[in-house]
Amino acid sequence: MNLHEYQGKEILSSFGVEVQRGIVATTPQEAVDAAKKLTEETGTGWHVIKAQVHAGGRGKGGGVKLAKNMQEVEDIAGKIIGMNLVTPQTSAEGKKVHQVLVAEDVYYPGDSEPEEYYMSVLLNRSNGRNMIMYSTEGGMDIETVAEETPHLIFTEEIDPAVGLLGFQARRIAFNLGLSGKAFKEMTKFVSALYKAYSESDSSLFEINPVLKTSDDKIIAVDAKVSIDDNALFRHKKYMEMRDKREENPVEVEAMEKGLNYVDLDGNVGCMVNGAGLAMATMDLIKQAGGEPANFLDVGGTADAERVEAAFHLILKDPNVKAILINIFGGIVRCDRVAQGIVDAYKNMGTIDVPIIVRLQGTNADIAKKLLDNSGLDVQSAIEFQEAADKVKEVLS
């Protein structure tokens, strides 16, 4: 589950990480009120107006602007709220901005120049350890840094059973070239950041930039946070942060109906029971010359209601030219699945795309007869290759 910047900062702050303070606004007037309140609380004279969408690169898309007075706060907020923000991490249509974060200016003058760093915490899946990735080259062009100067990106791997050790936090501060007060502040920042990542059951914490202010404070100016969905039952408060407006509406509908669905860009819809079989089915479709339009796991109870719901989800995609249903009847009997397909088909009326059904396992022979004798435009298959051949045939 992805979070907005202001939500990620709330989590960071709760673990003692110092953040750039801000207030969320949904209208230009709310933005002005927020700016005035921030000025009273922090003394900031300028304000940063940030679009709140689930995408990086907001600055490049015009979603982050500096306002030097209250009139500019109102004008900028009015332009950003309601716009379709296009960034390198959105589709060509962009994402509609429903709210902005009015934040304090932390780039104030002082004894030293402000410095921007990049830092993220994530899981290194190759060895099962957590990893802090960081660089002296923070800011909008971190992707270019990774591509052109990878030697400027450092990593610190952490055994999750042991946790972050003191010398590791100090090594990070040292590699960032810090000393004195800034060094001590960075070690505290890193320790609190890792604690926030670990105890919130996150899959990603990305802070870009981490700012060393002119008076040597270390502050999270941005926060990109993803919470592990499988751990949300332990964090009821975080579940309330979900903004379904930012998610694929078909995936949201699938989640509400208890189906595991991921939208893809292909032309063959998939309906499968079991994640492993779903992955194999996607490979099957590619070998047959097609492209999977989705990942859809209906689970172990593929009854008529779930099958019909799955059909509706798949057919929302106008690019789908065929549907492949691939069910292994271990827990669920194949004849019950077949009957569910027949009932769902009849309830929905005409389905304009070819349907190939492969049922293997308990009562697969009965299921094939049931489908063949149903009178519906459904092609049945028993073997994997047979299903692939039928997919290739309907696509040609």
Side-chain angles (χ1 to χ4, degrees), residues 3-23:
L3 300 182
H4 288 295
E5 174 191 350
Y6 76 93
Q7 295 169 324
K9 285 180 174 177
E10 285 179 18
I11 295 176
L12 286 171
S13 184
S14 71
F15 285 94
V17 178
E18 189 162 354
V19 302
Q20 178 193 37
R21 289 162 293 183
I23 301 172

PDB file of all heavy atoms in Angstrom, residues 3-23:
ATOM      1  N   LEU A   3       1.660   5.300   0.240  1.00  0.00           N
ATOM      2  CA  LEU A   3       1.172   6.417   1.032  1.00  0.00           C
ATOM      3  C   LEU A   3       1.545   7.739   0.374  1.00  0.00           C
ATOM      4  O   LEU A   3       2.480   7.811  -0.430  1.00  0.00           O
ATOM      5  CB  LEU A   3       1.765   6.381   2.442  1.00  0.00           C
ATOM      6  CG  LEU A   3       1.471   5.157   3.305  1.00  0.00           C
ATOM      7  CD1 LEU A   3       2.113   5.326   4.680  1.00  0.00           C
ATOM      8  CD2 LEU A   3      -0.023   4.913   3.450  1.00  0.00           C
ATOM      9  N   HIS A   4       0.797   8.776   0.720  1.00  0.00           N
ATOM     10  CA  HIS A   4       1.167  10.120   0.295  1.00  0.00           C
ATOM     11  C   HIS A   4       2.352  10.604   1.125  1.00  0.00           C
ATOM     12  O   HIS A   4       2.642  10.076   2.206  1.00  0.00           O
ATOM     13  CB  HIS A   4      -0.011  11.076   0.491  1.00  0.00           C
ATOM     14  CG  HIS A   4      -1.123  10.880  -0.482  1.00  0.00           C
ATOM     15  ND1 HIS A   4      -0.982  11.102  -1.840  1.00  0.00           N
ATOM     16  CD2 HIS A   4      -2.418  10.477  -0.304  1.00  0.00           C
ATOM     17  CE1 HIS A   4      -2.127  10.852  -2.442  1.00  0.00           C
ATOM     18  NE2 HIS A   4      -3.007  10.465  -1.539  1.00  0.00           N
ATOM     19  N   GLU A   5       3.004  11.644   0.627  1.00  0.00           N
ATOM     20  CA  GLU A   5       4.154  12.217   1.330  1.00  0.00           C
ATOM     21  C   GLU A   5       3.801  12.604   2.757  1.00  0.00           C
ATOM     22  O   GLU A   5       4.530  12.285   3.706  1.00  0.00           O
ATOM     23  CB  GLU A   5       4.658  13.439   0.567  1.00  0.00           C
ATOM     24  CG  GLU A   5       5.752  14.203   1.294  1.00  0.00           C
ATOM     25  CD  GLU A   5       6.059  15.542   0.650  1.00  0.00           C
ATOM     26  OE1 GLU A   5       5.563  15.805  -0.462  1.00  0.00           O
ATOM     27  OE2 GLU A   5       6.785  16.334   1.280  1.00  0.00           O
ATOM     28  N   TYR A   6       2.678  13.306   2.936  1.00  0.00           N
ATOM     29  CA  TYR A   6       2.336  13.786   4.278  1.00  0.00           C
ATOM     30  C   TYR A   6       2.054  12.632   5.230  1.00  0.00           C
ATOM     31  O   TYR A   6       2.342  12.724   6.432  1.00  0.00           O
ATOM     32  CB  TYR A   6       1.151  14.750   4.218  1.00  0.00           C
ATOM     33  CG  TYR A   6      -0.205  14.130   4.021  1.00  0.00           C
ATOM     34  CD1 TYR A   6      -1.001  13.796   5.116  1.00  0.00           C
ATOM     35  CD2 TYR A   6      -0.709  13.896   2.749  1.00  0.00           C
ATOM     36  CE1 TYR A   6      -2.256  13.243   4.947  1.00  0.00           C
ATOM     37  CE2 TYR A   6      -1.956  13.346   2.568  1.00  0.00           C
ATOM     38  CZ  TYR A   6      -2.734  13.013   3.660  1.00  0.00           C
ATOM     39  OH  TYR A   6      -3.979  12.455   3.488  1.00  0.00           O
ATOM     40  N   GLN A   7       1.518  11.516   4.699  1.00  0.00           N
ATOM     41  CA  GLN A   7       1.265  10.338   5.538  1.00  0.00           C
ATOM     42  C   GLN A   7       2.577   9.664   5.927  1.00  0.00           C
ATOM     43  O   GLN A   7       2.757   9.230   7.072  1.00  0.00           O
ATOM     44  CB  GLN A   7       0.357   9.366   4.789  1.00  0.00           C
ATOM     45  CG  GLN A   7      -1.032   9.915   4.515  1.00  0.00           C
ATOM     46  CD  GLN A   7      -1.827   9.055   3.557  1.00  0.00           C
ATOM     47  OE1 GLN A   7      -1.285   8.473   2.619  1.00  0.00           O
ATOM     48  NE2 GLN A   7      -3.124   8.967   3.777  1.00  0.00           N
ATOM     49  N   GLY A   8       3.488   9.562   4.966  1.00  0.00           N
ATOM     50  CA  GLY A   8       4.799   8.989   5.262  1.00  0.00           C
ATOM     51  C   GLY A   8       5.534   9.794   6.308  1.00  0.00           C
ATOM     52  O   GLY A   8       6.199   9.249   7.201  1.00  0.00           O
ATOM     53  N   LYS A   9       5.403  11.120   6.229  1.00  0.00           N
ATOM     54  CA  LYS A   9       6.060  11.979   7.216  1.00  0.00           C
ATOM     55  C   LYS A   9       5.438  11.819   8.600  1.00  0.00           C
ATOM     56  O   LYS A   9       6.134  11.936   9.614  1.00  0.00           O
ATOM     57  CB  LYS A   9       5.989  13.439   6.764  1.00  0.00           C
ATOM     58  CG  LYS A   9       6.966  13.766   5.637  1.00  0.00           C
ATOM     59  CD  LYS A   9       6.855  15.221   5.231  1.00  0.00           C
ATOM     60  CE  LYS A   9       7.926  15.601   4.219  1.00  0.00           C
ATOM     61  NZ  LYS A   9       7.788  16.996   3.754  1.00  0.00           N
ATOM     62  N   GLU A  10       4.130  11.553   8.645  1.00  0.00           N
ATOM     63  CA  GLU A  10       3.483  11.298   9.939  1.00  0.00           C
ATOM     64  C   GLU A  10       4.097  10.071  10.607  1.00  0.00           C
ATOM     65  O   GLU A  10       4.364  10.075  11.816  1.00  0.00           O
ATOM     66  CB  GLU A  10       1.984  11.078   9.739  1.00  0.00           C
ATOM     67  CG  GLU A  10       1.193  12.334   9.454  1.00  0.00           C
ATOM     68  CD  GLU A  10      -0.284  12.040   9.240  1.00  0.00           C
ATOM     69  OE1 GLU A  10      -0.751  10.944   9.637  1.00  0.00           O
ATOM     70  OE2 GLU A  10      -0.981  12.899   8.667  1.00  0.00           O
ATOM     71  N   ILE A  11       4.326   9.021   9.819  1.00  0.00           N
ATOM     72  CA  ILE A  11       4.938   7.810  10.373  1.00  0.00           C
ATOM     73  C   ILE A  11       6.369   8.098  10.811  1.00  0.00           C
ATOM     74  O   ILE A  11       6.794   7.716  11.915  1.00  0.00           O
ATOM     75  CB  ILE A  11       4.894   6.667   9.338  1.00  0.00           C
ATOM     76  CG1 ILE A  11       3.440   6.273   9.053  1.00  0.00           C
ATOM     77  CG2 ILE A  11       5.683   5.454   9.831  1.00  0.00           C
ATOM     78  CD1 ILE A  11       3.297   5.222   7.964  1.00  0.00           C
ATOM     79  N   LEU A  12       7.127   8.774   9.966  1.00  0.00           N
ATOM     80  CA  LEU A  12       8.512   9.106  10.311  1.00  0.00           C
ATOM     81  C   LEU A  12       8.575   9.906  11.610  1.00  0.00           C
ATOM     82  O   LEU A  12       9.375   9.599  12.501  1.00  0.00           O
ATOM     83  CB  LEU A  12       9.155   9.910   9.177  1.00  0.00           C
ATOM     84  CG  LEU A  12       9.538   9.147   7.911  1.00  0.00           C
ATOM     85  CD1 LEU A  12       9.952  10.121   6.821  1.00  0.00           C
ATOM     86  CD2 LEU A  12      10.647   8.160   8.192  1.00  0.00           C
ATOM     87  N   SER A  13       7.729  10.912  11.702  1.00  0.00           N
ATOM     88  CA  SER A  13       7.740  11.764  12.882  1.00  0.00           C
ATOM     89  C   SER A  13       7.402  10.983  14.142  1.00  0.00           C
ATOM     90  O   SER A  13       7.962  11.247  15.212  1.00  0.00           O
ATOM     91  CB  SER A  13       6.747  12.915  12.687  1.00  0.00           C
ATOM     92  OG  SER A  13       6.800  13.817  13.762  1.00  0.00           O
ATOM     93  N   SER A  14       6.519   9.995  14.014  1.00  0.00           N
ATOM     94  CA  SER A  14       6.133   9.202  15.183  1.00  0.00           C
ATOM     95  C   SER A  14       7.284   8.358  15.711  1.00  0.00           C
ATOM     96  O   SER A  14       7.255   7.909  16.859  1.00  0.00           O
ATOM     97  CB  SER A  14       4.936   8.304  14.838  1.00  0.00           C
ATOM     98  OG  SER A  14       5.304   7.262  13.960  1.00  0.00           O
ATOM     99  N   PHE A  15       8.301   8.145  14.889  1.00  0.00           N
ATOM    100  CA  PHE A  15       9.480   7.379  15.311  1.00  0.00           C
ATOM    101  C   PHE A  15      10.676   8.282  15.609  1.00  0.00           C
ATOM    102  O   PHE A  15      11.806   7.808  15.754  1.00  0.00           O
ATOM    103  CB  PHE A  15       9.852   6.349  14.241  1.00  0.00           C
ATOM    104  CG  PHE A  15       8.930   5.160  14.206  1.00  0.00           C
ATOM    105  CD1 PHE A  15       7.853   5.137  13.337  1.00  0.00           C
ATOM    106  CD2 PHE A  15       9.122   4.078  15.061  1.00  0.00           C
ATOM    107  CE1 PHE A  15       6.992   4.059  13.308  1.00  0.00           C
ATOM    108  CE2 PHE A  15       8.263   2.990  15.038  1.00  0.00           C
ATOM    109  CZ  PHE A  15       7.189   2.978  14.161  1.00  0.00           C
ATOM    110  N   GLY A  16      10.440   9.578  15.672  1.00  0.00           N
ATOM    111  CA  GLY A  16      11.505  10.500  16.054  1.00  0.00           C
ATOM    112  C   GLY A  16      12.332  11.037  14.914  1.00  0.00           C
ATOM    113  O   GLY A  16      13.369  11.668  15.149  1.00  0.00           O
ATOM    114  N   VAL A  17      11.914  10.806  13.671  1.00  0.00           N
ATOM    115  CA  VAL A  17      12.634  11.362  12.524  1.00  0.00           C
ATOM    116  C   VAL A  17      12.180  12.807  12.321  1.00  0.00           C
ATOM    117  O   VAL A  17      10.979  13.095  12.281  1.00  0.00           O
ATOM    118  CB  VAL A  17      12.350  10.552  11.248  1.00  0.00           C
ATOM    119  CG1 VAL A  17      13.071  11.173  10.054  1.00  0.00           C
ATOM    120  CG2 VAL A  17      12.773   9.103  11.426  1.00  0.00           C
ATOM    121  N   GLU A  18      13.136  13.726  12.219  1.00  0.00           N
ATOM    122  CA  GLU A  18      12.772  15.123  11.986  1.00  0.00           C
ATOM    123  C   GLU A  18      12.373  15.307  10.534  1.00  0.00           C
ATOM    124  O   GLU A  18      13.082  14.877   9.612  1.00  0.00           O
ATOM    125  CB  GLU A  18      13.934  16.047  12.341  1.00  0.00           C
ATOM    126  CG  GLU A  18      13.529  17.513  12.317  1.00  0.00           C
ATOM    127  CD  GLU A  18      14.491  18.408  13.067  1.00  0.00           C
ATOM    128  OE1 GLU A  18      15.417  17.896  13.716  1.00  0.00           O
ATOM    129  OE2 GLU A  18      14.310  19.643  13.002  1.00  0.00           O
ATOM    130  N   VAL A  19      11.218  15.954  10.315  1.00  0.00           N
ATOM    131  CA  VAL A  19      10.685  16.113   8.962  1.00  0.00           C
ATOM    132  C   VAL A  19      10.387  17.582   8.686  1.00  0.00           C
ATOM    133  O   VAL A  19      10.248  18.393   9.606  1.00  0.00           O
ATOM    134  CB  VAL A  19       9.391  15.284   8.765  1.00  0.00           C
ATOM    135  CG1 VAL A  19       9.635  13.819   9.023  1.00  0.00           C
ATOM    136  CG2 VAL A  19       8.267  15.811   9.659  1.00  0.00           C
ATOM    137  N   GLN A  20      10.304  17.894   7.413  1.00  0.00           N
ATOM    138  CA  GLN A  20       9.827  19.209   7.000  1.00  0.00           C
ATOM    139  C   GLN A  20       8.339  19.290   7.341  1.00  0.00           C
ATOM    140  O   GLN A  20       7.538  18.492   6.861  1.00  0.00           O
ATOM    141  CB  GLN A  20      10.035  19.378   5.494  1.00  0.00           C
ATOM    142  CG  GLN A  20       9.531  20.691   4.932  1.00  0.00           C
ATOM    143  CD  GLN A  20       9.488  20.664   3.414  1.00  0.00           C
ATOM    144  OE1 GLN A  20       9.161  19.642   2.814  1.00  0.00           O
ATOM    145  NE2 GLN A  20       9.821  21.783   2.791  1.00  0.00           N
ATOM    146  N   ARG A  21       7.963  20.236   8.164  1.00  0.00           N
ATOM    147  CA  ARG A  21       6.584  20.309   8.641  1.00  0.00           C
ATOM    148  C   ARG A  21       5.662  20.877   7.565  1.00  0.00           C
ATOM    149  O   ARG A  21       6.058  21.747   6.779  1.00  0.00           O
ATOM    150  CB  ARG A  21       6.520  21.157   9.910  1.00  0.00           C
ATOM    151  CG  ARG A  21       7.148  20.485  11.119  1.00  0.00           C
ATOM    152  CD  ARG A  21       7.458  21.467  12.232  1.00  0.00           C
ATOM    153  NE  ARG A  21       8.519  22.406  11.855  1.00  0.00           N
ATOM    154  CZ  ARG A  21       9.018  23.324  12.668  1.00  0.00           C
ATOM    155  NH1 ARG A  21       8.544  23.439  13.891  1.00  0.00           N
ATOM    156  NH2 ARG A  21       9.980  24.138  12.255  1.00  0.00           N
ATOM    157  N   GLY A  22       4.422  20.385   7.560  1.00  0.00           N
ATOM    158  CA  GLY A  22       3.463  20.842   6.564  1.00  0.00           C
ATOM    159  C   GLY A  22       2.042  20.508   6.964  1.00  0.00           C
ATOM    160  O   GLY A  22       1.804  19.742   7.902  1.00  0.00           O
ATOM    161  N   ILE A  23       1.095  21.091   6.234  1.00  0.00           N
ATOM    162  CA  ILE A  23      -0.332  20.897   6.486  1.00  0.00           C
ATOM    163  C   ILE A  23      -1.005  20.618   5.149  1.00  0.00           C
ATOM    164  O   ILE A  23      -0.740  21.301   4.147  1.00  0.00           O
ATOM    165  CB  ILE A  23      -0.960  22.133   7.157  1.00  0.00           C
ATOM    166  CG1 ILE A  23      -0.257  22.428   8.498  1.00  0.00           C
ATOM    167  CG2 ILE A  23      -2.458  21.941   7.374  1.00  0.00           C
ATOM    168  CD1 ILE A  23      -0.692  23.749   9.132  1.00  0.00           C
TER     169      ILE A  23
END
